[in-house]
Amino acid sequence: MTNGHLDIIERAASLFGELVVAIAVNPEKKALFEVPERLEFLRKACGHLDNVQVDYFSGLTVDYAKVQNARIIIKGLRAISDFELEFQQALMNKRLNNEIETLFIMTSPEHLFLSSSLIKDVVGWGASPDGLVPKVVEEQLLKKLRNRAGG
Amino acid sequence: MTNGHLDIIERAASLFGELVVAIAVNPEKKALFEVPERLEFLRKACGHLDNVQVDYFSGLTVDYAKVQNARIIIKGLRAISDFELEFQQALMNKRLNNEIETLFIMTSPEHLFLSSSLIKDVVGWGASPDGLVPKVVEEQLLKKLRNRAGG
Amino acid sequence: MTNGHLDIIERAASLFGELVVAIAVNPEKKALFEVPERLEFLRKACGHLDNVQVDYFSGLTVDYAKVQNARIIIKGLRAISDFELEFQQALMNKRLNNEIETLFIMTSPEHLFLSSSLIKDVVGWGASPDGLVPKVVEEQLLKKLRNRAGG
Amino acid sequence: MTNGHLDIIERAASLFGELVVAIAVNPEKKALFEVPERLEFLRKACGHLDNVQVDYFSGLTVDYAKVQNARIIIKGLRAISDFELEFQQALMNKRLNNEIETLFIMTSPEHLFLSSSLIKDVVGWGASPDGLVPKVVEEQLLKKLRNRAGG
Amino acid sequence: MTNGHLDIIERAASLFGELVVAIAVNPEKKALFEVPERLEFLRKACGHLDNVQVDYFSGLTVDYAKVQNARIIIKGLRAISDFELEFQQALMNKRLNNEIETLFIMTSPEHLFLSSSLIKDVVGWGASPDGLVPKVVEEQLLKKLRNRAGG
Amino acid sequence: MTNGHLDIIERAASLFGELVVAIAVNPEKKALFEVPERLEFLRKACGHLDNVQVDYFSGLTVDYAKVQNARIIIKGLRAISDFELEFQQALMNKRLNNEIETLFIMTSPEHLFLSSSLIKDVVGWGASPDGLVPKVVEEQLLKKLRNRAGG
């Protein structure tokens, strides 16, 4: 979770009555943090946003959206390469459930370079995560990456 | 106004309580139809959408949005080149008024090739506008383009 | 094999006297189906196309084309990211054998979102493959993915 | 007409039994050379290609292709921006006449920077057109651009 | 001249011993300000940079670079569309004079949305140019655009 | 190391007083050749360039640049996809050390299709590496890839 994600969440929360921020759990992809840790990060970083609920799910996003009675999926767009994959995904989702629409919000320019993998890289090599990730993530990220480096 | 525009309007209208569809009048750009004609097209093509209001404005989009008490600007995205210009525009709008957000909705695949200039081209050369533009636009478009060709 | 592939094959078959559809076997990449299964899919899905021959090969595409006495390689283009990789590949092939040209055909808009990996994803999570892949692939795909999910 | 165009023509001519190279005449766009001059350039530059016929047309490309009994339209692709416009155009053409397919051929790397407008620019400022355009175009291009500059 | 240009100039000036900032005069393109005004803007905005010289030229950039004994041309890159045009231009320049190289510097994220035409648009409609253009340009831009609007 | 890399090195070496060509060692990525081999390739291929020093490092590029007292990082740009990743990386580097700038140089058109992975692919399948990689790499590449194929 980066400051780019948090910015998208805060802006989306200000536009809609209710917002569910959900982690899509993919058992085949190995994330740096476990789902409970990531939920904890989200909960703390979104603590100031009253209309935001934090959750996780596995399965199809449109199925999860339906369970939540959500008509809108909000995604952040950062770059051309995002654009293409998200376009494919949005078309597929529309086909799977025509009732649900994906809306895109552009990343703020100061967060354009905040990809999770780039942050892991530079923090792993000793750069400070200050300003790149929410405060609640910083300490855990340092612990995780420095341990790994020393392992 | 193409069927691509109408599709975006219908989808947006189904997601939000109230939608204003507004023509941005640019005195320096010469459009094929005058503003009153274009308003008429919009009004007729959106007649079945109860929560859609049709309007026009000149000036800054964010200023118009404020007058309308709108927090959200909806734009359709069709291609990479759209993406870049809209990204610039959205960042500029955010700077001009931080309270207003631009959300993007992806064009349906069957409308990807519907650019106004391409339609004017092919209809001007004799292709049928059927299925490319709303029914209310068809007749006027044929009249306008065939006259011009014959002029 | 998706309906997007089938569409490209059918359109190419209608343009040329003879068409060889060949699976490029890459021993280092693990595909969902084995080569004999994939050949079987192709043979059944192309059964209605008299001038189409189904085959597989390993090695350089231009070497295989030469063995087949083919002067033209047909590829489908779906997106910008396809474009760049295919451009590189086409330039390299041209350098390896200047006699052989690569021609590109644009994917139909209704198949733009049909990437094999996206289909595997959504079908793996329970979506129906109906309309995404040829009928002959559907059953096998469900069997394979549901087993894996349950494994 | 640039050496990039000639390269595409030569490669296409080697692949198909018969090739018609046609100038699409657009009365609203002012070209540097008149249609008869451009036809003359094409005829001379393609003189060594027995199966190439040179022509011009106005109207829809698919209508012209039909008159010529052509099933295939060949276009050169140079860059991402080409890709998007050509993609739109190809989808529109497919809609106008489903029998006709557009096939794309990649520009050779040494011709990537040969856009007509860039050539007019640099030759207009005194650069030599040698190697940028066919020999038959060189002299006329110099005459036209130097006159204009001196006018 | 925008704050994006100034940022590129300042960063380039800090890297090289001597920097010439030159306006390429194109008699066929109508700019908002005349060349003497634009030179004046550049001179004032770069007044704090000791190693920067301000100039203008018409003709080929590589010819001008040669007259200046410059081996390097610095250009700012902002977006994909910039990238393609600049790539073509750089390849052409390399062909015209193999001794001169074009180096690119990425625009800072906070200037990504600063295109001259977008600024003219929004300032023309009443937005403040503060923070978008150098202070010396602000007053003149307002005068020019407000006059035009009132004309 | 490809002929594309060598071209960038030679051009950069001709522009700057001193150039350090450094391999960024990433312990998590498995390269075809070990670091000492790759250093040997670089040293031999750059033997004719007096102002080029060959080195390797692990850690942040900006930290290494600082140790070397370098103000400028030179990168080659080949394609849109390069552009986006390099843009992100350059912005991140600028944030990590504001004193160091990344400058980009465009790949020559004849090297556009030289990606290391594509070369490994085609040489692995029996294509000649002649003209794709420097002479000193050719023999080792053949040995390595042919052994692997035979293993």
Side-chain angles (χ1 to χ4, degrees), chain D residues 130-144:
Chain D
D130 182 36
L132 305 180
V133 297
K135 281 289 163 206
V136 296
V137 180
E138 263 189 45
E139 199 187 343
Q140 299 304 318
L141 184 65
L142 283 170
K143 207 181 287 179
K144 186 84 82 176

Side-chain angles (χ1 to χ4, degrees), chain E:
Chain E
M1 188 203 188
T2 72
N3 277 343
H5 296 129
L6 186 55
D7 174 57
I8 299 288
I9 294 170
E10 288 175 337
R11 287 157 64 196
S14 87
L15 296 178
F16 294 96
E18 212 177 327
L19 184 73
V20 178
V21 180
I23 299 168
V25 179
N26 185 339
E28 293 183 21
K29 260 197 215 156
K30 191 86 192 80
L32 186 64
F33 292 103
E34 300 298 325
V35 173
E37 290 174 294
R38 292 161 74 196
L39 278 172
E40 190 62 17
F41 291 156
L42 272 181
R43 251 184 234 112
K44 283 188 181 157
C46 301
H48 62 300
L49 302 165
D50 286 344
N51 60 338
V52 171
Q53 193 187 326
V54 168
D55 198 6
Y56 72 100
F57 70 98
S58 64
L60 294 173
T61 307
V62 288
D63 288 349
Y64 177 73
K66 203 179 165 187
V67 169
Q68 290 284 353
N69 272 322
R71 291 283 320 280
I72 298 178
I73 297 168
I74 299 280
K75 291 282 189 85
L77 275 187
R78 200 177 39 195
I80 302 288
S81 40
D82 285 3
F83 176 83
E84 291 221 316
L85 283 177
E86 293 292 352
F87 189 42
Q88 273 197 345
Q89 185 75 60
L91 291 179
M92 179 60 95
N93 283 344
K94 188 100 179 103
R95 192 181 189 286
L96 294 174
N97 187 334
N98 193 40
E99 297 294 302
I100 294 172
E101 293 282 352
T102 307
L103 296 182
F104 295 91
I105 191 167
M106 299 285 187
T107 296
S108 303
E110 66 268 29
H111 299 131
L112 275 180
F113 59 98
L114 291 184
S115 81
S116 316
S117 62
L118 195 51
I119 291 177
K120 273 182 275 186
D121 254 34
V122 300
V123 174
W125 287 119
S128 161
D130 182 36
L132 305 180
V133 297
K135 281 289 163 204
V136 295
V137 180
E138 263 189 46
E139 199 187 345
Q140 299 304 317
L141 184 65
L142 283 171
K143 208 180 287 178
K144 186 84 82 177
L145 289 171
R146 300 290 148 84
N147 279 352
R148 200 168 60 165

Side-chain angles (χ1 to χ4, degrees), chain F residues 29-125:
Chain F
K29 260 198 217 154
K30 191 88 192 76
L32 186 64
F33 292 102
E34 299 298 325
V35 173
E37 290 174 295
R38 291 160 74 195
L39 278 171
E40 190 62 17
F41 291 157
L42 272 180
R43 247 183 238 114
K44 283 187 180 157
C46 301
H48 60 302
L49 301 165
D50 285 344
N51 60 337
V52 170
Q53 193 187 325
V54 168
D55 198 7
Y56 71 99
F57 69 98
S58 63
L60 294 173
T61 307
V62 289
D63 288 348
Y64 177 73
K66 201 178 167 187
V67 167
Q68 290 283 351
N69 271 322
R71 290 283 319 279
I72 298 178
I73 298 168
I74 298 280
K75 291 282 191 85
L77 276 187
R78 202 176 38 195
I80 302 288
S81 41
D82 285 3
F83 176 83
E84 291 222 316
L85 283 177
E86 292 293 352
F87 189 42
Q88 274 196 344
Q89 185 76 59
L91 291 178
M92 179 61 96
N93 282 344
K94 188 99 179 106
R95 191 183 191 285
L96 294 174
N97 187 334
N98 194 41
E99 297 293 302
I100 294 171
E101 293 282 352
T102 307
L103 296 181
F104 295 90
I105 191 166
M106 299 283 186
T107 296
S108 302
E110 67 267 29
H111 299 130
L112 276 179
F113 59 99
L114 292 184
S115 81
S116 316
S117 61
L118 194 52
I119 292 177
K120 273 182 275 185
D121 254 34
V122 299
V123 174
W125 287 119

Side-chain angles (χ1 to χ4, degrees), chain B residues 10-11 16 38 60 76 81 86 112 128 134 147 149:
Chain B
E10 288 175 337
R11 288 157 64 196
F16 294 95
R38 293 160 74 195
L60 293 173
S81 39
E86 292 292 352
L112 275 180
S128 161
N147 280 353

